[in-house]
Amino acid sequence: MPAHERTGIWLIGARGSVATTAAVGLLALRAGVAGGGGCVTELPAFAGVPLPGWDDLVLGGHDIVHTPLEKRAEQLAHAGVFGHSVFSAVRSGLAEVDAEIRDGYHPATHTGAQADAAARLTADIRAFADRHDLARVVVVNVSSTEAPCPHLPEHDDLDALEAALADPARAVLPSSSLSAYAALKAGSPYVEFTPSAGITLPALRQLAEREGLPYAGCDGKTGETLLRTVLAPMFSARALKVRSWAGTNLLGGGDGETLADPVTANSKLESKARGLAALLGEDVTAPLHIDNVPDLGEIKTAWDHVSFEGFLGARMSLQFTWTGYDSALAAPLILDLARFVTAAHAGGQSGALTELGFFFKDPLGSDEHRFAEQTARLVTWAADL
């Protein structure tokens, strides 16, 4: 990748907590008022990888809400996600980012064919690239989790999907997948950071392959699942049989409100469950609950109880509690993913970037969930970029 080649990061859900924290973080890194803590790409293992610098990244995005980015950042500072001194240092830069946010697709208000909505979203991304003379734009979905997407035959074939998109009487794609389609039509690599359908539909993967574009996902691994991917292999390696693994997530804020809907929460629960079964090599009793606790605000707490069996049938247990700001854990990963995907695209890679499974609960194109193995694969892959 040529030095100082400018890259856009286009965020779907650009005024949400994760996107806002990513914007504050990028501006803070540029200004030198924050270090690279939490940013994987700042580790010595990736020092020689041709990644875009912080000054080479330009932010924009889509959203269906209109709260100014500065106001959202102020709310997050009050909530403790980052300090008021950091907010003050980047405040003026947030207005510039906010000016690059366009209205997203809202299925409740859109009229006409979905193809028309996709064309508008695609045009927004292309115009952003032209305004800033960008070599590429990486699109990252950090919007609210959707309910599981009912399967339609059109999801399996690109030609059938595009014919259906042109029909004003039909809405064949959920919002996340329409955004993925628009991104690919704009020539942009795509990252699905949520458990929503996004680019997982076969027809969209066909489009990515046709256009020679890389993509990655799904569902960013930030807290409880990160610990599971480290701890679960330990039980297997020590021949300790896990009998059950129960968990409870308590969270507030926008995510808590969204996941209070059992139908929507099911996307997140399914993503977590698939990873645990793969890690342990067998299905186990693994009830998991997600509860909305508005009082917690931006704080997320996860409690897990692991029941396991050892020598001579001895029954034992492990319990752990993880409390943190999910936005502060996720935001640096957004920047990491954009940098890695940029380097992959510049290097001519396309299709599912399986080595980026390191970042996800439900990695596309890979059944590897063990964190140590994922780390090794990422380091080896990055060294060849």
Side-chain angles (χ1 to χ4, degrees), residues 11-22:
L11 300 169
I12 311 301
R15 294 190 175 103
S17 296
V18 173
T20 302
T21 305

Side-chain angles (χ1 to χ4, degrees), residues 99-360:
E100 293 295 345
I101 299 175
R102 301 293 181 264
D103 288 341
Y105 167 76
H106 197 316
T109 58
H110 175 73
T111 57
Q114 281 192 315
D116 297 333
R120 176 177 64 83
L121 301 180
T122 295
D124 288 340
I125 297 169
R126 286 176 172 161
F128 172 65
D130 290 343
R131 277 195 303 278
H132 296 280
D133 192 24
L134 304 175
R136 65 189 51 78
V137 178
V138 178
V139 177
V140 186
N141 183 24
V142 287
S143 61
S144 297
T145 299
E146 296 171 343
C149 173
H151 177 75
L152 297 174
E154 291 84 356
H155 295 165
D156 295 329
D157 180 77
L158 180 58
D159 291 336
L161 175 64
E162 293 192 319
L165 287 173
D167 185 348
R170 302 190 64 190
V172 291
L173 289 181
S175 297
S176 63
S177 296
L178 192 72
S179 293
Y181 175 79
L184 298 173
K185 295 294 281 187
S188 292
Y190 183 85
V191 177
E192 183 53 67
F193 200 75
T194 82
S196 301
I199 200 168
T200 65
L201 305 183
L204 297 184
R205 296 201 299 272
Q206 291 171 23
L207 178 58
E209 291 165 7
R210 188 185 77 185
E211 299 297 324
L213 295 169
Y215 58 88
C218 291
D219 198 4
K221 182 167 59 183
T222 56
E224 178 189 34
T225 307
L226 176 63
L227 279 173
R228 287 182 170 194
T229 61
V230 174
L231 292 174
M234 173 193 71
F235 289 103
S236 298
R238 288 295 298 270
L240 299 170
K241 180 177 177 58
V242 174
R243 300 181 63 91
S244 65
W245 195 314
T248 295
N249 290 188
L250 309 176
L251 65 160
D255 273 353
E257 185 176 349
T258 298
L259 296 174
D261 177 1
V263 176
T264 302
N266 199 44
S267 291
K268 179 72 72 174
L269 296 174
E270 288 178 357
S271 176
K272 286 175 174 278
R274 281 192 292 269
L276 184 58
L279 284 162
L280 296 172
E282 59 182 346
D283 289 328
V284 298
T285 301
L288 180 62
H289 301 280
I290 300 177
D291 296 316
N292 180 28
V293 185
D295 177 64
L296 293 179
E298 296 295 323
I299 296 174
K300 178 180 178 180
T301 295
W303 171 80
D304 278 34
H305 181 282
V306 186
S307 173
F308 63 96
E309 183 179 295
F311 193 51
L312 303 178
R315 297 290 294 271
M316 295 167 274
S317 67
L318 165 70
Q319 298 181 50
F320 66 82
T321 303
W322 171 285
T323 298
Y325 292 101
D326 213 38
S327 298
L329 292 163
L333 304 187
I334 302 305
L335 302 178
D336 286 331
L337 283 161
R339 296 178 89 188
F340 278 131
V341 172
T342 293
H345 186 234
Q349 296 191 25
S350 62
L353 299 176
T354 59
E355 296 83 2
L356 296 183
F358 170 92
F359 293 97
F360 299 107

Side-chain angles (χ1 to χ4, degrees), residues 73-98:
E74 185 177 27
Q75 293 169 346
L76 292 171
H78 285 315
V81 178
F82 43 80
H84 285 278
S85 60
V86 171
F87 170 60
S88 297
V90 304
R91 190 169 193 161
S92 60
L94 290 171
E96 296 179 18
V97 177
D98 200 56

Side-chain angles (χ1 to χ4, degrees), residues 40-64:
V40 174
T41 48
E42 289 294 278
L43 291 173
F46 305 107
V49 181
L51 302 172
W54 302 127
D55 290 336
D56 302 322
L57 299 174
V58 184
L59 294 176
H62 282 123
D63 209 320
I64 60 174

